[in-house]
Structures are given as C-alpha cells and as structure tokens.
Amino acid sequence: MRDEFRRFLMLEKRLAGNSVEAYLRDVDHLMRFALSRNIPPDDVTLETLQQLLSELNNTDIAITTQCRLISGWRSFFHMMVIEDILKDNPASLLMMPGKPRHLPDVLTDSDIDALQATFDLSRPEQFRDYVMIEVLYGCGLRVSELVYLKLSNIYAEEEYLQVFGKGSKERWVPVNRRALSLLDTYIHQIRSHITPLPGEERYIFLSRRGTHLTRVRVFQVIKEAVERAGLQKHVSPHSLRHSFATELVENGADLRAVQEMLGHGSIGTTEIYTHISRQFLRDTIKSYHPHYKLHEHRR
C-alpha cells in the first residue's frame, strides 16, 4: 500500500520529492497508531484520526505540521476510495487548523550588498556562493529550485530561466543581465574546472566533489554570510525569495505577475509574501485617488 501511495502522490498529485516523503512518514505514523489499537487500515474512522491528532496536540506540534498531517491523510484515504478499498474518506471531515501568517525578515538592497560583500570572489567556492545569492534574490527561486537548476535551464538570449517548481510545474522567470553575466563567468571559469560525478553533469551549482549542492549547504552558506556581515536578522534562502517579492510589490508590480514569477497556485499564497509598507500604501493612494490629488493641488 505504501508503494501505491507513493506512486499516487507522484503521478496523480504531482508532489515534489520532499512532500512525498513527508506524506509517507505521516501515513506510516497513522498506521502504527492504528495497528497499536488493532485497527486495520481499511477500518480507520474519523474518530481514530481525531484521537491521534489529540495525542499529537499534547506534544505541542506546530499548526503547519497538523495541516500537513491532515492533508496527507486525506490524500491517502482518497486513493483508497479510488481503488474501491473504502467507500468514504474518513479524513474528509477533519477540520484544518488556522495557519498563522508569519512573514520572514525582509532584506533591503543594502542588506544584500552587505551579504555579498563578505565573499572573496578570488576563491572559486565563494564566487559560486555569491552567484547563488544573486540568483535567489534576483529571481525569487525556492532553494530546491536553485540546487536542481540545470545548464539547459538558462536561456541567456531571452533572459529567462526555465524553472521546475513544486509538483514539477514549469514556469519561466526573467533573469537580469547581471545575474546572467555572473552565471556565465561561474560556468566557464570555475565550474569548468570541476569534474562532475556521473549523473551530476547537468546541474549548475556543484561542490568540489562534483555533486550538485544540497539545500542544507545553501542554508549554511547564507547563515555564514549573515554572521560575517553582522546582520541582526533571521535570514534563510526563503528570506531572499520573500524580499524579491516584497521589492516588486512595493515598487508597483502587479500581484498576479508576482504570483506567476513565484510559481504560486493561489494568489492568497502570494499575499503572504508581500507585506506592503504603510508608506507605499499612502504614496499609492495619494498618487491615484482623485480626492487626494485635489487636496494636494489646493494646498
């Protein structure tokens, strides 16, 4: 059943690898809980699920984890309904807890400059890391999208990156000339001296050993740069993505365009990333509302 669920998540739900593994772990947890009470998988009820959630709540699990658990269980039992193993989905009536909307710290242009100034560009690995930060901030990529970016995904003449996001969904993200120039330098002057291991030849960002970088390594690179720069902010790769979106919106970009560039399925998700400053809102209404224009003209 586990293998069937994996295939269902990958082929039907088109989930990314990390999400698939998380859902599998969540269902494994549920199955262990059910078996400890002598309940076979096809006899799990809404009450069983509520009991497990209640136990987990006593351990103070995060709301986001609860939401993922419920989503995974719903998918699992939905598959069982499709396969005619169950008539009804016992997880369909589980209520999702309200998700808190936490905004990451926003980095200013000067913050980005301070981060990048900490890299010694004469050192190959630090030049690579400098370029990664430029691409993350300049294109708003997820860290998983960055580490799996391939040489064939660069369309330099068109000034676009071909990106495959969650669920392998394709999108085209504009890339600025500065980032393209840095990528070109890295690829032809630094990466060209690395011998990729078999299967790693297509990836852009490589380690000295010839393997593509991991998400953990990118987190470490940014953490170390933040410490060197002395920034008093909690910064992660996601902070660069959030800062990318915030800069666009505060400078007047259409929210739908930002949604497309970030690869969000819902405009509501984009709104979480784009907290707009009060000054920007005030300037906007002063520029476009006729009563504000009239008042300013009379002063």
Side-chain angles (χ1 to χ4, degrees):
M1 186 65 71
R2 196 177 194 274
D3 289 339
E4 287 85 346
F5 187 43
R6 181 191 296 275
R7 286 193 291 271
F8 176 78
L9 293 173
M10 294 175 65
L11 300 177
E12 298 292 332
K13 295 291 186 179
R14 298 185 65 192
L15 295 183
N18 293 328
S19 298
V20 170
E21 293 305 317
Y23 277 22
L24 288 171
R25 287 194 300 270
D26 294 340
V27 170
D28 286 344
H29 191 166
L30 171 61
M31 291 301 103
R32 288 194 299 271
F33 177 82
L35 290 174
S36 71
R37 286 157 175 74
N38 297 316
I39 303 172
D42 53 353
D43 281 344
V44 169
T45 64
L46 175 62
E47 183 180 2
T48 309
L49 300 174
Q50 289 172 331
Q51 287 174 353
L52 177 52
L53 275 179
S54 178
E55 286 194 10
L56 292 172
N57 282 335
N58 291 333
T59 65
D60 294 325
I61 65 168
I63 289 177
T64 51
T65 303
Q66 294 180 48
C67 291
R68 191 199 67 225
L69 284 165
I70 293 171
S71 180
W73 296 344
R74 283 178 178 172
S75 295
F76 177 69
F77 290 113
H78 177 61
M79 179 197 72
M80 294 182 74
V81 170
I82 292 174
E83 297 293 330
D84 290 327
I85 299 172
L86 293 177
K87 289 186 177 180
D88 300 300
N89 184 339
S92 62
L93 296 179
L94 283 174
M95 298 294 292
M96 284 283 193
K99 288 186 179 181
R101 294 196 167 196
H102 296 302
L103 293 171
D105 285 340
V106 175
L107 298 174
T108 64
D109 272 343
S110 59
D111 290 334
I112 298 295
D113 289 342
L115 279 182
Q116 291 185 312
T118 69
F119 293 101
D120 180 354
L121 301 187
S122 66
R123 299 173 60 184
E125 287 190 5
Q126 294 216 8
F127 189 93
R128 176 203 65 198
D129 298 343
Y130 180 96
V131 178
M132 288 195 307
I133 287 181
E134 183 65 35
V135 174
L136 282 170
Y137 177 63
C139 300
L141 301 189
R142 299 178 178 95
V143 64
S144 56
E145 294 168 347
L146 177 84
V147 297
Y148 288 111
L149 204 60
K150 302 179 182 68
L151 295 169
S152 60
N153 296 146
I154 301 175
Y155 288 76
E157 289 189 12
E158 295 84 356
E159 298 181 2
Y160 276 95
L161 293 181
Q162 182 187 30
V163 179
F164 292 91
K166 291 185 176 180
S168 298
K169 293 179 181 176
E170 179 192 43
R171 72 181 190 277
W172 294 84
V173 180
V175 56
N176 63 73
R177 291 181 180 179
R178 168 181 161 81
L180 283 171
S181 176
L182 288 168
L183 280 166
D184 185 73
T185 301
Y186 164 69
I187 290 168
H188 292 100
Q189 297 184 23
I190 295 174
R191 188 189 179 282
S192 59
H193 296 289
I194 300 172
T195 303
L197 292 181
E200 303 288 321
E201 301 90 348
R202 53 188 174 171
Y203 297 111
I204 295 175
F205 296 108
L206 299 178
S207 68
R208 282 181 295 181
R209 298 187 304 276
T211 59
H212 72 275
L213 293 189
T214 65
R215 297 166 61 199
V216 172
R217 181 56 192 148
V218 179
F219 272 87
Q220 290 173 336
V221 164
I222 291 175
K223 180 182 177 182
E224 291 165 3
V226 169
E227 291 174 353
R228 292 195 302 266
L231 294 181
Q232 300 301 310
K233 293 182 177 181
H234 179 71
V235 182
S236 69
H238 183 65
S239 304
L240 299 177
R241 176 172 161 86
H242 175 61
S243 301
F244 163 84
T246 301
E247 285 286 349
L248 289 177
V249 172
E250 292 197 351
N251 283 287
D254 179 77
L255 201 58
R256 292 287 179 184
V258 178
Q259 175 191 2
E260 182 69 22
M261 284 184 276
L262 292 175
H264 288 158
S266 166
I267 193 71
T269 307
T270 310
E271 289 168 350
I272 297 174
Y273 287 84
T274 52
H275 81 149
I276 306 173
S277 70
R278 291 180 181 177
Q279 183 63 45
F280 174 71
L281 290 173
R282 189 171 69 178
D283 290 346
T284 299
I285 196 169
K286 285 173 67 175
S287 298
Y288 296 105
H289 195 283
H291 284 197
Y292 275 81
K293 287 183 177 181
L294 182 62
H295 177 70
E296 290 295 317
H297 179 72
R298 287 175 176 174
R299 288 177 63 179

